């Protein structure tokens, strides 16, 4: 083993000589003084461009179809970019690369779950959901389990998941902008969070899904471009020798070879290993239950287009994570773990710091430009993702909780529904004229859906405000942790009920309700009694200690509980499942008959 | 197959991704529309097509145009599904939507627009949707689709989930194994990680291929059939 090492080392001696020189740049610090002005200008450009898109695109239609599903006329390529835009959050761009910069291989381990999860989406969810639903995840359940309770449960779980994810994004925003302004003042973070929240409310209430999707597309394009640019610069810097990159990273990590081995972050104790397993489970199963991802599939016309957009998304997400790994290693090799940790204890600023070095170091024009550019991309990422989340959340509230459950609508008859579905298919290309007639759930469909959209717009404002307030209190939490938590809740509350509904003929309404709450409640309760909330120095309430659940991520317990509860609820159901409804769901999901 | 009559192979492929923009020229789009399905079809073995049609049994009231139906049903799904988009782009902007909303059926089978509206008028809303769905669900064609979907997706999901969880668990369970150097700083842990990437891309491709060759066409045919019966 060591002989291999030494031969390779001697082989690389020539390279080392040169790279040692190049990597000997003094450890950078956040850019100082007037250099911030460029970053701030670019931020302003991002804000103006996105607002322009919102205003321009938002006028194109006001129907429910436009607000929730962007008119359903995006192409697979566009939607693939939008999907990856929704998915590659600040937590990925900043969080994953930061984790790799700090903990090496364990960060890689973390990123892989995000990618593999897409196979679940692709194979089990995307096409069927596209065919069987209209705007939200709960639509799919409601197709076969026509119960207000089911809708309310699924809608509620969706709101919780998106809210958690929102908080993660906004905390990331605060941390990023604080670094950019070279200040760690709480006031800067607070105002950033408030500003981001206000912007996302504007995007969603004015632009709806159409504007949100375009913002996602542009953002995903920028993100991929920025990552490619940095990766190319990095690889050039190391003369294409990735082994040397890894070696340098290990050398500057302060952990030596252990940096390239598992265990630096997740392997210290049995508990932390178990915690990571729990996180991995949540990541791989959670994606398919994320409301803002699922609602993306409704923006394309067919299930086949949904599949293709997922394939694009897998390509983009996979490529992005491969680059994120390189960038994380690069940040360690060129900036150093200590410096990254010094700038932000969670490592969230590793990539901007790397950009600074790659551009020529602190003080050089190139470095500042690149730093500002990457920061602006990260900022665009945050804005886009929070907009997508707010939209999904408001849709879940207005369409599922308010219209589907709270405003009691007995008129969910099958005939009306499927006839409406049919008419929807047929008249879709004619677009704006008759979109509301598709609802089929309401006596005065146009009026009902119009009202629903108004509620959704208000809900976006309310949810945005709630997210702002929560984010202000959660600022010291690691972005990656918060995202892991959102995934765990999605995997526990949303995925079991979705899979059962799609594939299990005997699944009943009680099973659905139990499944949602059986996953949601344990997940929330376990986190509340976890070391994240109390009992440690970095906890939400550092002063007190009421934790008894040892893990940070509840997935390993709550996901099986969600599945178990659904199963128990079904077998103890007093009334059996309705085979007619399952037949309808199955036929529609697999063939696309009557799809909206 | 009339695929030779217009040369738009590039268009036929681009279409799906870029939908309307590719349809571009009005004069060209109209005639090229029918042939392209044929062109696409020629690439796909036709034997699968009949499997879409046998789904008829449950449809007592099938319209006379049944023989004509296989043609659109058989068109490669790519084309048929997207056909609305190019259609919107092609003729004079005003007339396209009008024609579409008038004859609801023409949207899907562009090749036989004439036959469908006629058939559509007759059975008008007489069928009970529940029976239709039950009948379709019981049909051999649907069972085929269902089988080809589930028999691929379930085992493969089990495999990749198992492979991922094993990979994650191995980090904790066998750190010694993970540390073994493969080449330079590159160890087993990194190798497995990169293999996760590779397997994800591979399975994505396999799934898409399976869907495209085994069930897309049949599902699309069955979709129109079901919707006809429901009307």
């Amino acid at each position: 083993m060591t002989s291999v090492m030494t031969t390779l080392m001697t082989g690389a001696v020539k390279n080392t000589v040169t790279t040692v020189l190049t990597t000997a740049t003094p450890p950078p610090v956040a850019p100082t003084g007037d250099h911030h002005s460029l970053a701030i200008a670019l931020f302003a450009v991002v804000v103006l461009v996105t607002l322009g898109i919102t205003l321009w695109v938002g006028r194109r239609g006001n129907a429910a179809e436009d607000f929730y599903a962007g008119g359903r006329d995006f192409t697979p390529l566009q939607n693939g970019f939008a999907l990856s835009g929704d998915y590659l959050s600040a937590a990925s761009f900043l969080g994953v690369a930061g984790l790799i910069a700090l903990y090496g291989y364990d960060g890689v381990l973390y990123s892989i779950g995000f990618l593999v999860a897409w196979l679940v989406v692709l194979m089990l969810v995307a096409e069927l959901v596209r065919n069987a639903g209209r705007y939200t995840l709960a639509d799919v359940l409601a197709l076969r389990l026509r119960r207000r309770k089911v809708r309310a449960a699924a809608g509620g779980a969706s709101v919780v998941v998106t809210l958690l994810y929102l908080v993660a994004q906004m905390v990331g925003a605060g941390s990023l902008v604080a670094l950019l302004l070279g200040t760690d003042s709480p006031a800067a973070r607070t105002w950033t969070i408030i500003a981001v929240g206000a912007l996302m409310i504007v995007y969603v209430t004015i632009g709806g899904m159409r504007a949100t999707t375009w913002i996602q597309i542009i953002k995903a394009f920028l993100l991929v471009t920025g990552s490619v640019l940095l990766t190319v610069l990095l690889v050039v810097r190391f003369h294409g020798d990735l082994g040397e990159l890894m070696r340098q990273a290990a050398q500057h990590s302060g952990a030596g070879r252990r940096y390239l081995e598992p265990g630096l972050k997740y392997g210290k104790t049995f508990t932390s290993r178990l915690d990571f397993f729990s996180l991995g489970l949540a990541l791989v199963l959670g994606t398919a239950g994320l409301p803002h991802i699922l609602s993306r599939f409704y923006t394309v016309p067919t299930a086949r287009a949904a599949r293709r957009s997922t394939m694009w998304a897998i390509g983009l997400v996979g490529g992005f994570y491969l680059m994120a790994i390189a960038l994380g290693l690069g940040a360690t090799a060129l900036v150093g773990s200590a410096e990254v940790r010094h700038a932000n204890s969670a490592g969230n600023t590793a990539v901007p710091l790397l950009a600074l070095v790659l551009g020529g170091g602190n003080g050089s024009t190139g470095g500042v430009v690149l730093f500002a550019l990457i920061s602006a991309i990260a900022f665009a990422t945050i804005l886009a993702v929070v907009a997508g989340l707010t939209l999904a959340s408001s849709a879940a509230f207005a369409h599922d909780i308010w219209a589907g459950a709270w405003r009691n609508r007995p008129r969910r008859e099958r005939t009306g529904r499927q006839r409406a579905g049919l008419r929807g298919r047929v008249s879709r290309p004619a677009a704006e004229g008759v979109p509301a007639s598709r609802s089929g759930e309401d006596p005065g469909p146009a009026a009902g859906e119009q009202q629903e959209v108004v509620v959704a717009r208000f809900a976006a404002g309310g949810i945005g405000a709630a997210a702002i307030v929560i984010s202000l209190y959660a600022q010291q939490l690691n972005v990656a942790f918060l995202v892991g938590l959102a995934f765990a809740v999605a995997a526990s509350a949303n995925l079991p009920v979705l899979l059962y509904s799609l594939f299990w003929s005997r699944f009943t309404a009680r099973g659905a309700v139990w499944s949602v709450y059986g996953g949601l409640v344990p997940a929330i309760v376990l986190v509340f009694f976890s070391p994240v909330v109390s009992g440690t120095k970095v906890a939400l309430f550092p002063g007190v200690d009421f934790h008894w659940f040892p893990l940070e991520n509840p997935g390993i317990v709550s996901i099986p509980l969600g599945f178990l509860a659904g199963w128990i609820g079904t077998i103890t159901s007093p009334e059996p499942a309705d085979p007619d409804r399952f037949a309808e769901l199955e036929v529609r999901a697999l063939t696309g008959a009557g799809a909206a | 197959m009339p695929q030779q009559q217009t040369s738009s192979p590039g268009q036929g492929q681009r279409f799906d991704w870029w939908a309307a923009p590719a349809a571009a020229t009005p004069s060209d789009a109209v005639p090229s529309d029918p042939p392209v399905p044929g062109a696409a079809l020629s690439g796909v073995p036709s034997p699968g097509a009949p499997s879409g049609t046998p789904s008829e049994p449950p449809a007592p009231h099938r319209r006379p145009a049944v023989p004509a139906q296989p043609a659109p049903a058989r068109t490669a799904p790519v084309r048929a599904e997207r056909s609305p988009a190019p259609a919107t782009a092609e003729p004079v902007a005003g007339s396209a939507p009008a024609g579409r909303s008038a004859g609801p059926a023409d949207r899907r089978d562009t090749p036989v627009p004439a036959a469908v509206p006629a058939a559509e008028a007759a059975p008008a809303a007489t069928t009970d949707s529940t029976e239709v769905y039950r009948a379709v669900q019981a049909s051999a064609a649907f069972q085929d689709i269902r089988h080809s979907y589930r028999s691929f997706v379930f085992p493969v999901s089990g495999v990749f989930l198992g492979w991922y969880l094993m990979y994650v668990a191995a980090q904790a369970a066998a750190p010694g194994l993970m540390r073994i150097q493969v080449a330079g700083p590159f160890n087993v842990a990194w190798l497995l990680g990169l293999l996760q990437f590779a397997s994800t891309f591979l399975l994505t491709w396999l799934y898409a291929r399976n869907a495209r060759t085994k069930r897309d066409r049949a599902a699309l045919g069955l979709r129109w059939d079901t919707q006809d019966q429901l009307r």
Side-chain angles (χ1 to χ4, degrees):
Chain A
M1 200 191 308
T2 43
S3 66
V4 173
M5 193 72 182
T6 43
T7 47
L8 272 153
M9 285 297 267
T10 46
V13 154
K14 210 166 39 174
N15 273 332
T16 337
V17 172
T18 49
T19 40
V20 155
L21 289 175
T22 49
T23 52
T25 42
V29 285
T32 48
D34 51 63
H35 300 314
H36 294 142
S37 51
L38 179 61
I40 292 170
L42 283 178
F43 275 37
V45 169
V46 167
V47 170
L48 288 178
V49 167
T50 48
L51 280 179
I53 291 170
T54 307
L55 293 175
W56 183 56
V57 176
R59 295 174 312 169
R60 300 232 315 253
N62 263 328
E65 185 111 313
D66 298 295
F67 184 80
Y68 292 135
R72 301 198 206 282
D73 53 5
F74 286 93
T75 65
L77 176 64
Q78 290 169 341
N79 196 39
F81 265 88
L83 273 171
S84 50
D86 248 332
Y87 195 64
L88 297 175
S89 54
S92 303
F93 190 51
L94 307 177
V96 168
L99 278 177
I100 294 170
L102 294 185
Y103 305 109
Y105 179 76
D106 276 359
V108 176
L109 193 58
Y110 175 72
S111 72
I112 285 172
F114 284 103
L115 177 66
V116 174
W118 278 92
L119 286 176
V120 182
V121 179
L122 174 75
M123 294 189 189
L124 298 173
V125 172
E127 292 171 62
L128 306 185
V129 163
R130 173 61 192 84
N131 274 337
R134 287 190 309 138
Y135 304 131
T136 63
L137 175 147
D139 278 341
V140 179
L141 316 181
L143 181 61
R144 73 174 281 205
L145 313 160
R146 290 172 187 128
R147 286 289 174 78
R148 287 164 46 221
K149 273 190 223 157
V150 175
R151 235 181 212 280
S158 296
V159 170
V160 171
V161 171
T162 42
L163 207 53
L164 281 170
Y165 211 128
L166 255 182
V167 170
Q169 300 308 317
M170 292 171 72
V171 170
S175 134
L176 170 76
V177 177
L179 173 91
L180 271 177
L181 302 178
T183 165
D184 217 10
S185 81
R189 288 169 175 236
T190 303
W191 284 108
T192 306
I193 289 173
I194 292 172
V196 167
L199 277 172
M200 82 190 176
I201 293 171
V202 171
Y203 296 146
V204 172
T205 48
I206 296 178
M209 180 57 113
R210 213 186 295 256
T212 308
T213 306
W214 277 112
I215 292 175
Q216 302 289 9
I217 293 170
I218 292 170
K219 164 249 156 141
F221 180 77
L222 287 177
L223 186 61
V224 170
T225 313
S227 308
V228 169
L229 177 68
L230 281 188
T231 310
V232 168
L233 286 176
L234 181 70
V235 170
V236 167
R237 179 95 167 218
F238 282 90
H239 309 287
D241 184 353
L242 295 178
E244 183 55 31
L245 170 63
M246 290 171 77
R247 227 170 274 125
Q248 291 269 339
Q251 196 183 326
H252 290 94
S253 68
R257 262 181 54 191
R258 290 190 50 229
Y259 176 81
L260 298 174
E261 292 162 3
L264 211 52
K265 179 173 172 61
Y266 301 114
K268 291 197 184 99
T269 60
F270 177 75
T271 310
S272 70
R273 289 175 186 177
L274 200 62
D275 208 354
F276 184 74
F277 189 81
S278 179
L279 176 64
L281 196 65
L283 292 182
V284 79
L285 295 177
T287 304
L290 290 177
H292 65 297
I293 297 293
L294 292 177
S295 62
R296 283 247 149 267
F297 294 120
Y298 299 122
T299 64
V300 290
T302 62
R304 194 185 158 88
R307 182 201 311 151
R308 293 188 168 222
S309 35
T310 317
M311 292 167 66
W312 271 110
I314 290 177
L316 289 166
V317 169
F320 174 82
Y321 279 120
L322 285 173
M323 291 189 285
I325 292 173
L327 295 181
L329 290 173
T332 311
L334 300 180
V335 182
S337 288
E339 189 62 32
V340 169
R341 190 177 277 113
H342 174 71
N344 177 289
S345 60
N348 288 339
T349 50
V351 174
L353 287 177
L354 173 67
L356 189 66
V357 175
L358 283 177
N362 194 14
S364 71
T365 320
V368 171
V369 167
L370 208 55
F371 179 88
L373 209 61
I374 294 302
S375 299
I377 290 175
F379 185 62
T381 293
I382 290 167
L383 287 183
V385 174
V386 292
L389 286 163
T390 311
L391 181 69
S393 195
S394 68
F397 180 83
H399 185 65
D400 298 330
I401 298 179
W402 184 78
W406 184 77
R407 189 178 67 174
N408 191 350
R409 296 203 286 181
R411 198 144 331 197
R412 302 190 118 272
E413 254 74 84
R414 267 199 308 297
T415 44
R417 192 160 225 291
Q418 52 88 351
R419 202 172 344 109
L422 255 187
R423 212 182 318 135
R425 171 189 75 73
V426 157
S427 58
R428 187 192 345 105
E432 320 316 332
V434 276
S437 67
R438 206 155 317 155
S439 92
E441 299 184 346
D442 200 62
E449 291 225 319
Q450 227 30 65
Q451 212 181 355
E452 195 182 304
V453 172
V454 172
V455 172
R457 291 180 203 264
F458 276 106
I463 289 161
I468 292 173
V469 172
I470 299 173
S471 306
L472 293 178
Y473 285 98
Q475 285 184 50
Q476 74 275 39
L477 291 181
N478 182 328
V479 173
F481 156 73
L482 283 168
V483 169
L485 178 59
F487 275 73
V489 176
S492 319
N494 287 350
L495 187 72
V497 71
L498 187 60
L499 291 185
Y500 278 141
S501 303
L502 288 171
F503 296 110
W504 191 17
S505 59
R506 282 165 44 212
F507 193 49
T508 64
R510 176 193 272 193
V513 174
W514 284 30
S515 171
V516 172
Y517 292 124
L520 180 66
V521 175
I524 300 290
V525 168
L526 289 178
V527 167
F528 189 74
F529 292 107
S530 77
V532 180
V533 173
S534 71
T536 57
K537 267 180 246 156
V538 291
L540 207 51
F541 307 110
V544 285
D545 183 1
F546 49 83
H547 91 279
W548 49 262
F549 185 68
L551 307 181
E552 290 188 0
N553 193 298
I556 198 170
V557 177
S558 63
I559 296 171
L561 278 182
F563 279 102
L564 187 68
W567 180 70
I568 293 177
T570 299
I571 58 167
T572 61
S573 221
E575 56 191 68
D578 184 346
D580 293 344
R581 303 250 163 99
F582 184 64
E584 180 177 352
L585 173 82
E586 207 177 33
V587 169
R588 290 177 59 162
L590 274 173
T591 66
Chain B
M1 288 297 125
Q3 63 268 48
Q4 254 71 320
Q5 79 196 102
T6 30
S7 61
S8 51
Q11 192 193 32
Q13 285 160 8
R14 285 263 151 249
F15 240 172
D16 201 28
W17 308 93
W18 297 98
T25 43
S27 55
D28 176 51
V30 180
S32 78
D33 210 2
V36 182
L41 170 65
S42 68
V44 194
S46 8
S51 75
T53 6
S55 68
E56 294 326 312
H61 68 280
R62 284 300 297 172
R63 50 161 199 249
V66 172
Q69 179 65 5
R74 194 191 298 141
T75 53
V78 205
R79 296 288 312 121
E81 280 196 50
R82 287 301 308 182
S83 60
T88 354
E90 76 210 19
V92 221
S95 80
R100 182 153 298 107
S101 46
D106 71 358
R107 186 204 136 208
R108 45 158 234 246
D109 357 356
T110 336
V112 280
V116 188
E120 176 238 356
T126 49
T127 39
D128 177 11
S129 67
T130 306
E131 280 168 25
V132 171
Y133 282 124
R134 288 301 287 270
V136 172
Q137 190 195 31
S139 70
F142 181 79
Q143 290 299 326
D144 271 358
I145 294 171
R146 187 174 187 267
H147 177 76
S148 62
Y149 174 70
R150 292 195 167 196
S151 65
F152 179 86
V153 155
F154 287 173
V156 171
S157 298
V159 166
F160 78 74
L161 282 177
W163 153 230
Y164 171 74
L165 292 177
M166 262 173 51
Y167 162 74
V168 172
Q171 314 298 327
L177 178 74
M178 296 297 126
R179 254 179 235 129
I180 295 172
Q181 303 286 316
V182 176
F186 197 77
N187 55 28
V188 171
W190 282 83
L191 181 69
L192 290 180
L194 293 181
L195 280 178
Q196 287 285 343
F197 276 88
S199 69
T200 302
F201 293 134
L202 177 73
L203 289 178
T204 302
W205 177 71
L206 284 178
Y207 172 79
R209 199 188 58 164
N210 177 274
R212 199 175 58 235
T213 56
K214 295 256 173 70
R215 86 192 140 83
D216 269 0
R217 241 176 327 159
L220 192 64
L222 200 52
R223 172 181 185 177
W224 306 141
D225 289 340
T226 311
Q227 292 186 168
D228 279 344
Q229 295 170 48
L230 287 170
R231 203 176 291 123

